[in-house]
Amino acid sequence: MTLPTPDLSPSGLKALTAEVASTAEQYDRSGDIPVAGLAAAHRGGYLTATVAARFGGPEAGPFEVVQVLSALGEGDPSVALIAANNLAIHQMQAATDSWPADLYDDLLRQSVQGPAPVNVIRAEPELGAPARGGLPKTIARRTANGWTLTGRKTFATGGTALAYHLVWAITDEEEPRVGHVIVPADSAGITWHQTWDHLGLRASNTHDVSYAGVEVGEENFLEIPKTDGVYRDPAVATGPTGFGHPALYVGVARAARTAFVTYARERVPTALGRPIAETERIQAIAGEIDAQIVQAETLLYGTLLRVAADDPAVAAILSLVKVQIARSVIAAVQTAVAALGNAALTRHNPLERHLRDVLCVRVHPPQEDTALLAAGRALLRG
């Protein structure tokens, strides 16, 4: 099969942002799956942009991926988060060929027919974020025909919109193995729990999900190999393809900048007699917002250019770059909100939503404290 090549031109990405943004507020208020935004991303081929050429896809690289996710994040970050997770799965398959051929063929067939997102489902109620250490309680038990999967997960972004789940689990073998179990979303034994009622990314449907004896084939278990005899969670450090999440929040900061500019141009206090955009104070604040976004974009795209150039020093700083991008996008949105005061905190103003959404950048692993600790220890070791 041949998958569409997404339009990555400035005009194409601008059109994508506009279409997705047209329903963002609606889904933010309802918390429903953002079906219209996902459909727009699907029609343009953006949800399958990273499918490898050997599978009929456009095989977009990390640079193109962050362009797509920044555009989606500027429109609706809930759509962008679902898309980011999905694109990462296709990137993984392009690099490793780890999925059984029949399962990946089925995923691609579904992806032609409509949005068919996939997500790695990892966090657990007792453990929390796997990147902070520990092993899953979700168990894959051997059967005559494969595996049965039992356990409960938290923060499973995508909810019932998912076509497949990649569930982090441990086997019940004498020598337990850790890996991901590929689970078709329509499998018997899956129950969704409507737990997601968050401040930001409200339409991402990041609910809890439980698996009660879900049956899958033997080939559905994808083992994560040990390093030096020890299992190390892959989310502990950022890799070259790990900039999808920060990219979408760069988009949120861009949307906040647009909302700030629109308000400043339209707001004409009677005592002033002209738009506040014409005052030096607001102009200086606009410059500060722009400076923070320029910093985030330069870190994002500049780092990926260093990766593409095989800079040997860049791998060690990727997690710190993510930290700095997060700080910049939060600062940009908070600066806009602080300048406008009450007007920016009403739900009639999109800045209120952008503020809630941008704060979610902090939750993606590796989180700031762990990234700084790892960097500091490496520096002091010399």
Side-chain angles (χ1 to χ4, degrees):
M1 65 191 73
T2 301
L3 295 164
T5 299
D7 183 357
L8 300 180
S9 68
S11 60
L13 293 174
K14 184 177 181 180
L16 174 66
T17 295
E19 184 171 4
V20 173
S22 67
T23 56
E25 181 183 3
Q26 164 194 334
Y27 289 115
D28 174 75
R29 287 181 178 264
S30 70
D32 295 334
I33 292 169
V35 292
L38 290 172
H42 168 260
R43 284 195 303 273
Y46 297 100
L47 293 181
T48 49
T50 53
V51 174
R54 65 184 180 276
F55 299 124
E59 200 167 336
F63 199 90
E64 292 79 20
V65 168
V66 299
Q67 288 181 299
V68 169
L69 294 174
S70 293
L72 286 172
E74 189 172 356
D76 185 342
S78 289
V79 173
L81 181 59
I82 295 169
N85 297 334
N86 186 63
L87 292 173
I89 297 298
H90 289 298
Q91 281 179 307
M92 179 186 73
Q93 177 65 3
T96 65
D97 258 337
S98 55
W99 281 52
D102 60 333
L103 292 177
Y104 196 64
D105 285 346
D106 179 66
L107 173 61
L108 293 180
R109 282 193 295 270
Q110 292 190 51
S111 299
V112 169
Q113 296 165 3
V118 189
N119 190 16
V120 179
I121 298 177
R122 296 165 50 77
E124 295 183 344
E126 299 87 355
L127 181 66
R132 293 187 178 270
L135 296 174
K137 288 187 67 175
T138 302
I139 298 176
R141 292 183 171 88
R142 278 283 192 182
T143 68
N145 300 314
W147 307 91
T148 61
L149 185 70
T150 302
R152 179 162 176 153
K153 296 293 189 181
T154 59
F155 306 122
T157 295
T160 56
L162 297 176
Y164 276 91
H165 307 182
L166 260 68
V167 184
W168 190 54
I170 190 167
T171 67
D172 68 341
E173 298 165 307
E174 185 174 342
E175 290 290 334
R177 294 179 292 156
V178 175
H180 294 113
V181 181
I182 303 174
V183 179
D186 59 358
S187 300
I190 297 176
T191 301
W192 285 96
H193 309 277
Q194 303 298 305
T195 53
W196 184 249
D197 190 15
H198 259 47
L199 185 73
L201 295 177
R202 292 183 53 77
S204 66
N205 277 248
T206 307
H207 296 296
D208 284 15
V209 60
S210 58
Y211 306 90
V214 176
E215 297 181 1
V216 298
E218 182 175 359
E219 70 279 6
N220 289 43
F221 179 76
L222 309 180
E223 183 178 359
I224 300 173
K226 294 180 178 179
T227 303
D228 299 325
V230 178
Y231 170 74
R232 301 184 193 280
D233 191 86
V236 168
T238 304
T241 59
F243 283 83
H245 288 149
L248 77 88
Y249 295 99
V250 171
V252 175
R254 290 175 181 170
R257 178 177 59 189
T258 298
F260 178 84
V261 169
T262 298
Y263 184 88
R265 288 172 175 170
E266 295 176 351
R267 173 62 175 156
V268 182
T270 55
L272 184 63
R274 57 195 172 104
I276 61 172
E278 297 179 14
T279 66
E280 288 189 357
R281 174 179 175 271
I282 293 298
Q283 290 167 357
I285 290 168
E288 173 63 24
I289 295 167
D290 214 31
Q292 294 292 348
I293 295 173
V294 166
Q295 179 167 269
E297 291 175 337
T298 301
L299 285 167
L300 178 63
Y301 291 104
T303 301
L304 290 176
L305 288 173
R306 290 179 65 182
V307 169
D310 294 324
D311 182 341
V314 75
I317 65 168
L318 294 179
S319 294
L320 288 181
V321 170
K322 285 184 72 173
V323 168
Q324 291 302 110
I325 292 172
R327 289 176 173 180
S328 294
V329 295
I330 290 172
V333 181
Q334 287 183 332
T335 298
V337 170
L340 300 185
N342 275 336
L345 294 174
T346 174
R347 296 197 73 177
H348 299 293
N349 189 320
L351 271 170
E352 178 267 348
R353 171 164 47 91
H354 301 325
L355 176 63
R356 289 187 285 105
D357 287 337
V358 81
L359 293 176
C360 294
V361 69
R362 293 173 171 150
V363 307
H364 300 289
Q367 293 168 346
E368 180 172 310
D369 63 321
T370 57
L372 295 176
L373 179 61
R377 284 175 171 170
L379 180 64
L380 293 170
R381 280 196 302 265

